[in-house]
Amino acid sequence: MKNKIETNRGRNRNPLYFFIIAVVLIFTAEALDMLFLHSFLKHGSLLLEILIDSSILSIITIPMLYLLLVRPMLLYIKERDIAEQALQEAHEVLEARVEERTRELSLEVTERKQAERALKKSELNLTKAQEVAHIGSWHLDLLNNELFWTDENYRIFGIPMGTPMTYEKFLEVVHPEDRQYVDKKWSAAIGGEPYDIEHRLLIDNKVKWVREQAELTFDNEGNPTGGVGITNDINELKFAERALNAERTRLYSILDLFPGFVCLQAQDYTIRFANRRFIEEYGDPMGRACYKHIRGCDDPCEQCPTSIVFDTKKSHVWISDYSSRDRVYQVYGEPFIDSDGSMLVLEFSIDITAQKIAEQELLKAQKLESLGVLAGGIAHDFNNLLTGIIGNTSLLVHKVEKDGVISKRLGEVEKAAMHAQELTQQLLTFAKGGEPVKEASQLEEIIEESCKFCLYGSNVKFDITVAEDLLPVEVDRGQINQVMNNIIINAKQAMPDGGVIEVSISNCTVSADDDTALKTGKYVSVLINDHGVGIDKENLQKVFDPYFTTKKSGSGLGLASAYSVIQKHEGHIEVTSEPGVGTTFKMFMPVSEKGAVIRKEAHPELQRRAGGRVLVMDDEEIIRDVTTEILTTIGYDVVSTTDGKQAVAVYKEAKEGGKPFDAVIMDLTIPGGMGGKEVIKILQEYDPEVKAIVSSGYSSDTVMAEYGKFGFSGVITKPYKASELAAKVQDVIAAEL
């Protein structure tokens, strides 16, 4: 279209142009016409002249007008129409282009507005995010020394927003004590070092902590031109850190007060933390592998319990026996996730050595109890038989010639019976019965007597060291004598080539901190040390077990019975030994609150008394017979009964008949009937002045040990000799109520 317009541009003339040409042609034609007429028709008529003039003018002008006026005008009109059409088309194209551009501009404006809104929203979000996160940002122009801050940066520094900032103004807000540090770090950053610091601000005399990070820009020559950075308000974080540090310090203090060991192990077994108790025991282990620091090994322990916690990621409890330290620990392993996501194991170790000792003591007691079931079943009947044998034998000894053959044989019978009594007594120490009949005694007397008896005629001597002001103990002298005999005999047998048994006796106090099964309180400690062959570790754990012995002729009951006796006295016995060096027994006996009993001389002979009446109650015929015979021999009038009901009736009848009994001897236990414990209550209600002696060869009751509390005036243990029975009855009758 553009080319077409340019092609016709030269032919497009103004109509005035064609009109002027037409007028010029007409005048030219008229002039030629007049010249022609004037030349050829000088004297013609006017009409003819007009007709010829018109014809000639028409012939000349009409073609000329067509060629010079009409045709160009038609062409003009046509070209104008074409031009107008082209113009219209160009206009339409232009309008389309304008409309398209308008749409493009509108879209660009819309997008720009959207971008502006998004940018504004982003800026608002950034401002809000900085406000929420307490993080401000800044831009520094070092060339113009201008510092541009965001709103949050102004808020953090406590400076009015919009205040022109410089590096110097920034330093004015920094805490005076930190300005040199900040300036030094900034100078280093200008030199190319990283800028990431924490420091304080001082705003209205209040301290605030911030963290600053920045990246600087440099020109081609390496000179700094500016930088961008952030300021993080970490004041709350610092308070939280201080609170956390205080809590950590509190936790460490608590863990330091924990009586056991606490440590934190990584998966390579390095120790990350240990409490004070751990460090005091093993030294500072930080950063060292536990197997190296504690065990002294180069490799992890086989089947390490800590590895179980790492593998299962579950809690695990195990017992750790540090034999080199003679301690036993119960260890609790708990999985622990560190702040970096790595797994650690937190271990709590509790010293359960005392508990294990108590468990071992309980196990021994249970073993002894099982033996006691057997021993208690036969003790009563066996002692009744021995009472008949010993009582009759001792009675006959006093009725025959002292130096005769019969007296000698009876003495051997009595000795054999007494040995049987000792064996029975050993069995009884395991039973629930056989409670010790205690009295306040000086332990050194019992021990010295036992040493003299057991070591008489041997190549082994004894050396006793006794502390000054040694306190008395509450013991059954017979049972403790048996304990000492067993220990001294073992010590003598451990030194076949002779030697010295060293005995040390002293007062001691047991506190709650001591690793022992004893109750807190005062005790008398006895150490018996020999220099014999010693006991190996394996057998040392079994020495107190019933029937355990390393001797060919041993019964295995000696030390087991010693252990049982000490337990029943609420004491404790333990042993240590080293093969080839010797063995040491250590005993603890509770101190008595009473003064030691002064021992009376035994009655070697049966002598007739002034008389008196005695009531005997026992279900065993042999006991009734021998007791009656012994008491009758020395002048007493004796009546015997078989059970409690009969005894009460006989006692009342005698009292009411004017022939009261001076003493009553009662068996503690009567199968299927009332025993001494029940009868004494009835008799005391009837006769408050009744004098009764309780007798038994075995009982699980405490009456034998604490007879006075139950109303008895005396106690005698089966089996007994005639002289012992006579002395006991005499003492009870003679005693005042």
Side-chain angles (χ1 to χ4, degrees), residues 45-244:
S45 64
L46 180 57
L47 180 60
L48 179 61
E49 184 178 345
I50 292 171
L51 182 59
I52 293 170
D53 181 50
S54 300
S55 299
I56 294 171
L57 184 59
S58 298
I59 293 169
I60 297 171
T61 57
I62 289 172
M64 292 180 62
L65 286 172
Y66 175 76
L67 293 172
L68 297 177
L69 180 60
V70 176
R71 186 173 180 272
M73 288 188 67
L74 292 173
L75 291 173
Y76 172 75
I77 292 170
K78 183 178 181 180
E79 290 178 352
R80 191 179 64 180
D81 290 341
I82 293 172
E84 288 179 354
Q85 184 179 357
L87 183 60
Q88 181 65 31
E89 292 177 356
H91 179 69
E92 291 176 356
V93 171
L94 181 60
E95 284 184 346
R97 290 185 176 179
V98 169
E99 184 178 354
E100 182 181 359
R101 183 58 182 161
T102 300
R103 284 197 300 271
E104 292 176 353
L105 290 175
S106 177
L107 183 60
E108 289 178 2
V109 170
T110 301
E111 291 177 349
R112 180 175 297 174
K113 288 182 178 180
Q114 290 177 345
E116 289 175 353
R117 284 196 296 271
L119 179 61
K120 187 175 182 180
K121 184 178 180 180
S122 178
E123 289 176 348
L124 289 174
N125 288 339
L126 178 61
T127 301
K128 189 64 178 177
Q130 288 188 350
E131 181 181 347
V132 171
H134 303 299
I135 298 177
S137 59
W138 49 267
H139 171 259
L140 177 63
D141 184 354
L142 287 174
L143 299 179
N144 298 312
N145 195 25
E146 292 179 334
L147 186 58
F148 303 94
W149 280 7
T150 61
D151 293 348
E152 184 62 18
N153 225 51
Y154 280 109
R155 188 199 66 78
I156 291 174
F157 280 80
I159 297 175
M161 295 183 185
T163 302
M165 292 301 300
T166 62
Y167 178 71
E168 288 72 20
K169 289 183 179 180
F170 153 74
L171 279 181
E172 290 177 1
V173 188
V174 176
H175 195 287
E177 295 178 3
D178 293 350
R179 286 174 188 168
Q180 184 177 359
Y181 165 73
V182 173
D183 190 56
K184 179 180 178 181
K185 287 294 184 180
W186 180 250
S187 299
I190 292 176
E193 294 184 10
Y195 185 76
D196 186 350
I197 63 171
E198 293 180 1
H199 64 85
R200 294 169 295 172
L201 305 178
L202 188 60
I203 304 171
D204 297 332
N205 292 324
K206 294 182 180 179
V207 175
K208 177 185 286 187
W209 279 90
V210 295
R211 179 187 179 186
E212 290 189 306
Q213 296 172 281
E215 288 187 4
L216 273 66
T217 56
F218 300 86
D219 58 20
N220 295 333
E221 296 179 357
N223 298 315
T225 59
V228 293
I230 61 170
T231 304
N232 188 0
D233 184 346
I234 59 172
N235 212 44
E236 293 182 0
L237 179 62
K238 282 294 182 181
F239 281 121
E241 284 181 354
R242 283 197 289 269
L244 181 61

Side-chain angles (χ1 to χ4, degrees), residues 180-368:
Q180 184 177 359
Y181 165 73
V182 173
D183 190 56
K184 179 180 178 181
K185 287 294 184 180
W186 180 250
S187 299
I190 292 176
E193 294 184 10
Y195 185 76
D196 186 350
I197 63 171
E198 293 180 1
H199 64 85
R200 294 169 295 172
L201 305 178
L202 188 60
I203 304 171
D204 297 332
N205 292 324
K206 294 182 180 179
V207 175
K208 177 185 286 187
W209 279 90
V210 295
R211 179 187 179 186
E212 290 189 306
Q213 296 172 281
E215 288 187 4
L216 273 66
T217 56
F218 300 86
D219 58 20
N220 295 333
E221 296 179 357
N223 298 315
T225 59
V228 293
I230 61 170
T231 304
N232 188 0
D233 184 346
I234 59 172
N235 212 44
E236 293 182 0
L237 179 62
K238 282 294 182 181
F239 281 121
E241 284 181 354
R242 283 197 289 269
L244 181 61
N245 288 334
E247 192 66 26
R248 183 183 291 111
T249 301
R250 188 178 300 111
L251 175 61
Y252 287 169
S253 298
I254 293 173
L255 293 177
D256 284 341
L257 293 174
F258 183 69
F261 303 141
V262 181
C263 70
L264 194 62
Q265 289 190 36
Q267 285 190 303
D268 60 356
Y269 303 105
T270 56
I271 297 176
R272 301 285 185 83
F273 166 80
N275 69 337
R276 183 175 60 192
R277 179 77 178 83
F278 189 105
I279 294 173
E280 289 174 353
E281 184 74 14
Y282 298 104
D284 190 354
M286 297 298 291
R288 298 194 63 194
C290 67
Y291 54 85
K292 288 185 178 180
H293 189 77
I294 299 176
R295 304 283 186 177
C297 303
D298 294 328
D299 299 307
C301 307
E302 293 184 7
Q303 299 178 343
C304 176
T306 307
S307 65
I308 296 176
V309 182
F310 281 120
D311 294 340
T312 62
K313 297 180 175 60
K314 294 181 180 179
S315 302
H316 184 56
V317 182
W318 65 94
I319 300 297
S320 182
D321 182 4
Y322 297 157
S323 57
S324 62
R325 298 176 183 268
D326 197 26
R327 312 301 296 169
V328 180
Y329 298 93
Q330 184 161 307
V331 186
Y332 296 83
E334 295 289 339
F336 180 85
I337 304 301
D338 203 3
S339 57
D340 60 0
S342 62
M343 183 177 174
L344 306 174
V345 171
L346 183 62
E347 291 186 2
F348 293 86
S349 301
I350 302 175
D351 189 337
I352 59 170
T353 304
Q355 178 183 332
K356 281 297 180 182
I357 292 174
E359 288 176 358
Q360 291 173 0
E361 298 297 321
L362 178 61
L363 181 60
K364 292 174 184 176
Q366 289 172 343
K367 291 179 180 179
L368 295 174

